[in-house]
Amino acid sequence: MNQLAVLILTKNEEQNITTAVQNAQLVADEVIVIDSGSTDATRELAMKAGAKVARRAWNNDFAAQRNFALEQTTAEWVLYLDADERLNEALVQGIKKAMAADDRTKQYRLERKSVAFGQEFSYGVLYPDQVARLFLRTTVHWVGKVHEHPECNLAAVNLPGYARHYTYTSWQQWEQKFSQYTSIWAQNAYENGKHITLPAILGHALAGFGKMFLVRQGYRDGWLGIYMCCNHFFYTLLKYLKLYELQGKGKA
């Protein structure tokens, strides 16, 4: 039985997948790629790099993909990574130490530092965050179609080091994710009975901007940080406008 499986969700990641698998192999007994219907060479490159590839059709549900990944391994521990994340040496050593300890009362969080458009961010929308990613396989379940999160009752411990998250490389990529995530969020919110009014939409958007610009000090990342705070205003505005539109169609 493998001790640690690294699980990577992908779709059209041929630019990232080889280095993602190679980086994951620094800590993994096996690397499993869950492909959501790539039309490029993602699957072939992943297998060539030494990963196992499983396919699941994309249905606008990130949590479902992550839960499906759990069914593809018998490893005792699982580590979730994205194709655009890379473990640094301190984090690699921290994961190895955690696996050697094999403490079954804990889950583990790692720090992510975002790199977008060639710049590393320290504040605002893309500030460094702690995300739970390393679990005993049988203790975790994911929920949420977008901005999904794990449910695990074990005590959470922070690992040393960090993972660089190479998120947006072009504005076209950002625009595609902007549209995809706001649509998934609105549909999920509507199905869960959430309602919104036009004045509240503006209030949410302004509050979102204030949080990123002032509370998280997004302005300290320079003009690009300020621009990302403005984008967050429009992201929040659009996701609620899409919810409002669905409400109107539901009443028609």
Side-chain angles (χ1 to χ4, degrees):
M1 178 182 291
N2 293 313
Q3 185 184 24
L4 175 62
V6 173
L7 309 175
I8 304 174
L9 304 189
T10 63
K11 184 175 182 181
N12 293 334
E13 291 282 3
E14 65 179 8
Q15 299 300 317
N16 284 316
I17 194 59
T18 299
T19 52
V21 171
Q22 291 171 344
N23 183 247
Q25 287 169 337
L26 296 175
V27 297
D29 295 292
E30 66 174 352
V31 179
I32 302 175
V33 169
I34 309 302
D35 189 70
S36 303
S38 293
T39 56
D40 62 5
T42 296
R43 292 190 296 270
E44 293 78 7
L45 290 171
M47 289 186 287
K48 184 177 180 180
K52 172 185 173 183
V53 177
R55 302 184 190 185
R56 185 181 187 276
W58 176 243
N59 64 343
N60 289 333
D61 190 331
F62 284 98
Q65 296 295 100
R66 294 194 184 276
N67 289 326
F68 173 78
L70 290 171
E71 302 171 4
Q72 310 311 307
T73 182
T74 58
E76 295 183 347
W77 291 84
V78 292
L79 170 65
Y80 283 90
L81 293 176
D82 293 338
D84 56 4
E85 294 173 343
R86 303 291 179 269
L87 312 174
N88 78 343
E89 180 60 25
L91 182 51
V92 167
Q93 295 306 316
I95 292 170
K96 288 181 177 180
K97 185 176 180 179
M99 290 299 93
D102 196 27
D103 188 339
R104 293 165 182 265
T105 66
K106 296 176 181 177
Q107 60 173 307
Y108 295 90
R109 292 187 299 239
L110 59 86
E111 182 180 23
R112 296 191 307 171
K113 294 186 178 181
S114 290
V115 179
F117 312 109
Q119 176 176 323
E120 185 171 296
F121 285 76
S122 300
Y123 305 95
V125 179
L126 298 177
Y127 79 115
D129 59 344
Q130 293 279 347
V131 289
R133 291 290 188 81
L134 178 58
F135 314 92
L136 278 168
R137 177 175 52 84
T138 57
T139 66
V140 63
H141 179 77
W142 292 78
V143 296
K145 288 187 175 182
V146 66
H147 302 309
E148 73 282 8
H149 64 275
E151 292 185 341
C152 178
N153 293 326
L154 301 180
V157 176
N158 294 336
L159 290 164
Y162 60 89
R164 275 199 171 88
H165 180 206
Y166 293 92
T167 174
Y168 306 114
T169 57
S170 70
W171 288 109
Q172 181 180 5
Q173 181 191 32
W174 175 86
E175 181 183 13
Q176 290 170 345
K177 289 188 177 182
F178 182 98
S179 178
Q180 178 189 23
Y181 290 176
T182 52
S183 294
I184 295 174
W185 182 92
Q187 185 64 45
N188 190 53
Y190 178 71
E191 291 173 356
N192 288 325
K194 188 175 182 64
H195 289 78
I196 196 69
T197 63
L198 286 175
I201 291 173
L202 181 59
H204 279 294
L206 289 171
F209 173 81
K211 178 180 179 180
M212 296 303 165
F213 188 81
L214 296 174
V215 178
R216 293 189 181 173
Q217 304 178 55
Y219 60 88
R220 296 183 66 180
D221 278 321
W223 75 267
L224 191 54
I226 295 171
Y227 189 62
M228 293 302 292
C229 292
C230 294
N231 284 342
H232 187 73
F233 170 88
F234 289 108
Y235 173 87
T236 308
L237 190 74
L238 183 58
K239 74 178 186 180
Y240 281 107
L241 283 172
K242 287 183 177 181
L243 172 59
Y244 187 80
E245 181 181 45
L246 290 172
Q247 289 175 198
K249 291 180 179 178
K251 294 175 182 178

